[in-house]
Amino acid sequence: MWKVWKIDLHEMGVCLGTERRMLVNRWERDYERRMEELSDRYKQHFESIKAELPSAAVELVENGLHDAVVLSVERPSEDLLVLMLDCSGGFYYFTDFRLTFEGVTYSNVPADFKGAWWLYDEIYKTEDSFELHTLFDSPMIETVIRARDVKIEPLKLPLMRRLQKWYRRR
């Protein structure tokens, strides 16, 4: 009798585990489908406004800052916002650089934001210029910057250019 009871519990556990796995698989498929739809809609939107945005803002979004880390946030004046970022672990810039947002009319970027990781961004056309929405991790927060323009300034040579320079000197 004990053996039968043990087998029944085991079979029940396998059955529940299989059912849970099926639910998780269905959720994953639905999630991936929804994310693809959202991504496709955003890409269409971006392509439709790209020509109306400042060229540096387009470059910023097209090249991506995923995994960039905020080194500092400065507000030298009411209409300027400066973000210093470490992109050494990112996908494009691979160096520290400064983003200077000019003509800022709104920003909810915290002053003490050092160490936050840039995850995802979207840009939208506004009456004056653009609005950059960014999702950060550590802490998980969405920021919004409304500005007229942005300047992108590398603060160090990217690793490949430094290596090329070093190799030429040899």
Side-chain angles (χ1 to χ4, degrees):
M1 181 150 178
W2 172 254
K3 209 172 202 177
V4 173
W5 177 253
K6 191 173 182 183
I7 290 170
D8 289 343
L9 286 177
H10 178 70
E11 287 174 3
M12 190 169 124
V14 170
C15 180
L16 288 175
T18 303
E19 187 174 342
R20 284 187 185 120
R21 172 56 33 210
M22 288 171 44
L23 287 170
V24 167
N25 287 342
R26 186 176 337 142
W27 178 84
E28 285 175 332
R29 285 190 307 273
D30 290 347
Y31 172 80
E32 287 171 7
R33 180 188 50 75
R34 181 76 174 127
M35 288 302 289
E36 284 178 29
E37 288 172 3
L38 289 170
S39 180
D40 290 345
R41 279 196 351 230
Y42 175 73
K43 286 176 188 172
Q44 290 173 352
H45 162 75
F46 177 69
E47 289 301 319
S48 74
I49 64 168
K50 190 167 136 173
E52 301 173 57
L53 297 171
S55 60
V58 171
E59 177 187 334
L60 186 68
V61 172
E62 286 185 334
N63 293 340
L65 292 171
H66 183 77
D67 283 348
V69 178
V70 176
L71 298 174
S72 68
V73 177
E74 301 169 20
R75 282 305 291 257
S77 67
E78 192 173 309
D79 67 337
L80 284 177
L81 173 67
V82 179
L83 295 179
M84 304 287 270
L85 300 171
D86 172 1
C87 291
S88 60
F91 295 146
Y92 186 79
Y93 293 100
F94 306 113
T95 188
D96 293 357
F97 73 97
R98 177 185 302 122
L99 291 180
T100 304
F101 293 90
E102 301 170 334
V104 175
T105 58
Y106 175 81
S107 169
N108 69 343
V109 177
D112 183 22
F113 209 42
K114 187 176 181 177
W117 289 70
W118 189 298
L119 297 179
Y120 179 78
D121 54 63
E122 294 179 349
I123 195 165
Y124 298 94
K125 175 80 179 99
T126 64
E127 194 176 299
D128 298 341
S129 191
F130 68 92
E131 189 170 281
L132 181 69
H133 292 235
T134 307
L135 180 64
F136 286 92
D137 188 15
S138 299
M140 183 69 75
I141 186 173
E142 181 181 354
T143 64
V144 176
I145 301 169
R146 237 176 263 135
R148 184 183 69 254
D149 203 358
V150 61
K151 282 198 289 191
I152 304 169
E153 304 168 81
L155 300 178
K156 298 180 192 170
L157 285 178
L159 179 59
M160 287 307 294
R161 288 187 29 217
R162 285 189 301 210
L163 287 172
Q164 289 169 345
K165 240 175 131 172
W166 174 81
Y167 185 74
R168 277 186 246 133
R169 285 193 307 242
R170 293 182 56 201

